[in-house]
Amino acid sequence: MSKVIGHSSKLRIQAVEALENGTKHAQETQLIMQKGETISAAELVSQAATQYGISSGEYLSNMRHENVWGGGPEIVALANCLERQIVLLEPINKADKTIVEQKEGYCGGDAKSIYLNTIARFGPPSKGNSIHILSTNQQFPQEYHGKPSNHFLAVFPSEPF
């Protein structure tokens, strides 16, 4: 477990430094969000900081702390820093699976499976395998339907893509 925590800490630092360095240069770093859309690192940090009523510097300082949850800006920064697309998934109800069954990104299974739907792809096209994360709540997998998402979990494939 300590290796996972250590690796997680390194990734957090990389994401924050990518955002921080992108705001300091005369020519602001452009980050690829989704579908080729870009945003400057400074604008992304400013938007996130505004949501919390703090300055960009305070936001970046807070993100360095392990007890502060990262979110969209950190995912976008990390995808760009690692040059790997990060795919954001969400669990869906079995009843809803027919709605998204024909859409790109649907992952199915048997009656005991949890169904996942792709809701976003951040960063540049991957040079290697994409990184998949699940947007859900802290009670996942016991209770997740109808609850607001407030947590990200890494998703590891059980078989090669």
Side-chain angles (χ1 to χ4, degrees), residues 90-97 111-117 134-149:
E90 69 178 350
I92 58 171
N93 288 317
K94 185 177 178 185
D96 294 340
K97 85 175 181 70
K112 294 181 182 180
S113 295
I114 294 171
Y115 296 89
L116 304 176
N117 186 45
L134 180 64
S135 175
T136 189
N137 63 54
Q138 289 179 298
Q139 287 78 39
F140 182 84
Q142 290 79 18
E143 297 178 34
Y144 60 93
H145 294 300
K147 304 225 182 217
S149 294

XYZ file of all heavy atoms in Angstrom, residues 90-97 111-117 134-149:
250
model
N -18.227 6.474 -15.651
C -19.213 6.563 -14.579
C -20.009 5.272 -14.550
O -20.262 4.670 -15.604
C -20.142 7.759 -14.765
C -21.078 7.617 -15.943
C -22.039 8.773 -16.097
O -22.149 9.622 -15.204
O -22.694 8.825 -17.155
N -20.406 4.823 -13.361
C -21.259 3.636 -13.290
C -22.676 4.009 -13.715
O -23.127 5.133 -13.488
C -21.214 3.242 -11.812
C -20.859 4.493 -11.094
C -20.064 5.336 -12.041
N -23.354 3.069 -14.352
C -24.741 3.311 -14.748
C -25.608 2.168 -14.248
O -25.124 1.064 -14.014
C -24.896 3.476 -16.275
C -24.380 2.240 -17.012
C -24.202 4.724 -16.757
C -24.699 2.234 -18.482
N -26.884 2.440 -14.091
C -27.844 1.410 -13.702
C -27.964 0.371 -14.805
O -27.888 0.702 -15.988
C -29.234 2.012 -13.470
C -29.312 2.816 -12.214
O -28.798 2.402 -11.184
N -29.955 3.967 -12.302
N -28.197 -0.859 -14.417
C -28.410 -1.913 -15.405
C -29.557 -1.539 -16.325
O -29.508 -1.774 -17.528
C -28.667 -3.244 -14.712
C -28.778 -4.392 -15.666
C -28.959 -5.698 -14.934
C -29.120 -6.825 -15.944
N -29.411 -8.083 -15.301
N -30.595 -0.922 -15.780
C -31.751 -0.521 -16.591
C -31.362 0.535 -17.624
O -31.944 0.598 -18.698
C -32.853 0.020 -15.685
N -30.371 1.371 -17.308
C -29.937 2.431 -18.213
C -28.968 1.934 -19.281
O -28.668 2.647 -20.217
C -29.259 3.561 -17.439
C -30.208 4.298 -16.517
O -31.437 4.210 -16.742
O -29.729 4.935 -15.576
N -28.475 0.714 -19.127
C -27.434 0.246 -20.043
C -27.902 0.185 -21.486
O -27.126 0.408 -22.391
C -26.854 -1.087 -19.603
C -27.606 -2.316 -20.037
C -26.854 -3.564 -19.636
C -27.571 -4.804 -20.082
N -27.581 -5.022 -21.505
N -25.083 -10.341 -15.318
C -26.065 -9.745 -14.408
C -25.437 -9.187 -13.132
O -26.005 -8.302 -12.503
C -27.132 -10.769 -14.056
N -24.289 -9.696 -12.721
C -23.646 -9.211 -11.500
C -22.648 -8.093 -11.768
O -22.024 -7.580 -10.866
C -22.921 -10.369 -10.804
C -23.866 -11.431 -10.293
C -23.108 -12.527 -9.597
C -24.070 -13.603 -9.132
N -23.385 -14.690 -8.460
N -22.493 -7.712 -13.011
C -21.504 -6.711 -13.392
C -21.966 -5.303 -13.065
O -23.158 -5.037 -12.957
C -21.222 -6.784 -14.896
O -20.620 -7.990 -15.241
N -21.001 -4.442 -12.958
C -21.263 -3.006 -12.863
C -21.022 -2.466 -14.262
O -19.995 -2.747 -14.877
C -20.324 -2.339 -11.838
C -20.649 -2.867 -10.448
C -20.434 -0.827 -11.912
C -19.672 -2.459 -9.383
N -21.970 -1.722 -14.782
C -21.865 -1.196 -16.127
C -21.243 0.200 -16.069
O -21.597 1.005 -15.218
C -23.245 -1.161 -16.785
C -23.809 -2.557 -16.963
C -24.565 -3.152 -15.959
C -23.545 -3.271 -18.120
C -25.057 -4.434 -16.111
C -24.034 -4.555 -18.281
C -24.795 -5.133 -17.272
O -25.272 -6.399 -17.434
N -20.329 0.450 -16.998
C -19.615 1.719 -17.033
C -19.859 2.413 -18.359
O -19.954 1.772 -19.398
C -18.114 1.496 -16.842
C -17.694 0.758 -15.577
C -16.188 0.535 -15.584
C -18.131 1.506 -14.339
N -19.903 3.733 -18.306
C -20.087 4.545 -19.489
C -18.983 5.595 -19.532
O -18.653 6.199 -18.512
C -21.463 5.229 -19.436
C -21.771 5.980 -20.698
O -21.565 5.484 -21.794
N -22.283 7.183 -20.539
N -12.642 6.136 -12.597
C -14.074 6.057 -12.362
C -14.507 7.213 -11.476
O -13.933 7.431 -10.412
C -14.411 4.722 -11.688
C -15.869 4.455 -11.352
C -16.701 4.369 -12.622
C -15.983 3.159 -10.555
N -15.498 7.958 -11.931
C -16.084 9.035 -11.142
C -17.302 8.455 -10.438
O -18.273 8.054 -11.081
C -16.499 10.190 -12.053
O -17.165 11.183 -11.321
N -17.245 8.390 -9.121
C -18.327 7.774 -8.356
C -18.397 8.419 -6.976
O -17.862 9.502 -6.766
C -18.130 6.236 -8.286
O -19.298 5.653 -7.721
C -16.894 5.851 -7.516
N -19.025 7.763 -6.035
C -19.059 8.282 -4.668
C -18.285 7.342 -3.749
O -17.867 6.265 -4.155
C -20.505 8.480 -4.185
C -21.268 7.177 -4.124
O -20.833 6.222 -3.501
N -22.406 7.125 -4.774
N -18.106 7.763 -2.523
C -17.285 7.002 -1.579
C -17.884 5.658 -1.194
O -17.187 4.802 -0.692
C -17.026 7.821 -0.319
C -16.086 8.963 -0.559
C -15.866 9.754 0.700
O -16.804 10.325 1.233
N -14.632 9.792 1.159
N -19.164 5.439 -1.431
C -19.800 4.180 -1.059
C -19.688 3.128 -2.169
O -20.166 2.015 -2.007
C -21.282 4.387 -0.713
C -21.517 5.070 0.613
C -21.292 6.573 0.530
O -21.646 7.210 -0.443
N -20.684 7.131 1.562
N -19.085 3.479 -3.281
C -18.950 2.544 -4.394
C -18.156 1.321 -3.954
O -17.179 1.458 -3.254
C -18.241 3.239 -5.568
C -18.109 2.367 -6.776
C -19.156 2.276 -7.669
C -16.957 1.636 -7.015
C -19.056 1.471 -8.790
C -16.850 0.826 -8.119
C -17.907 0.743 -9.010
N -18.517 0.113 -4.305
C -19.595 -0.268 -5.203
C -20.905 -0.595 -4.494
O -21.888 -0.894 -5.156
C -19.048 -1.515 -5.893
C -18.213 -2.172 -4.844
C -17.633 -1.025 -4.031
N -20.942 -0.533 -3.168
C -22.170 -0.902 -2.455
C -23.335 0.006 -2.816
O -24.430 -0.461 -3.081
C -21.963 -0.874 -0.926
C -21.081 -1.973 -0.402
C -19.605 -1.678 -0.607
O -19.204 -0.553 -0.838
N -18.786 -2.716 -0.535
N -23.131 1.300 -2.769
C -24.190 2.262 -3.077
C -23.610 3.321 -4.000
O -22.712 4.050 -3.605
C -24.676 2.954 -1.802
C -25.302 2.040 -0.786
C -25.706 2.804 0.458
O -26.102 3.985 0.339
O -25.606 2.230 1.539
N -24.111 3.377 -5.193
C -23.598 4.393 -6.104
C -24.648 4.986 -7.022
O -24.476 6.071 -7.521
C -22.430 3.856 -6.933
C -22.752 2.660 -7.790
C -23.141 2.827 -9.105
C -22.662 1.380 -7.276
C -23.434 1.733 -9.899
C -22.945 0.284 -8.062
C -23.329 0.461 -9.377
O -23.615 -0.620 -10.152
N -25.762 4.313 -7.235
C -26.776 4.854 -8.139
C -27.559 5.976 -7.469
O -28.002 5.854 -6.342
C -27.737 3.754 -8.592
C -27.063 2.728 -9.447
N -26.465 3.047 -10.629
C -26.881 1.397 -9.269
C -25.955 1.954 -11.161
N -26.177 0.947 -10.350
N -27.667 7.079 -8.184
C -28.447 8.198 -7.693
C -27.712 9.075 -6.689
O -28.253 10.039 -6.193
N -26.476 8.738 -6.393
C -25.684 9.539 -5.448
C -24.731 10.428 -6.247
O -24.206 10.007 -7.277
C -24.893 8.634 -4.515
C -25.752 7.654 -3.763
C -25.372 7.613 -2.339
C -26.252 6.568 -1.671
N -26.639 6.927 -0.386
N -24.470 11.644 -5.763
C -23.547 12.513 -6.495
C -22.119 11.958 -6.455
O -21.694 11.386 -5.458
C -23.640 13.850 -5.751
C -24.234 13.530 -4.427
C -25.021 12.275 -4.580
N -21.417 12.129 -7.563
C -20.021 11.697 -7.629
C -19.156 12.653 -6.835
O -19.271 13.865 -6.966
C -19.551 11.657 -9.081
O -20.238 10.663 -9.780
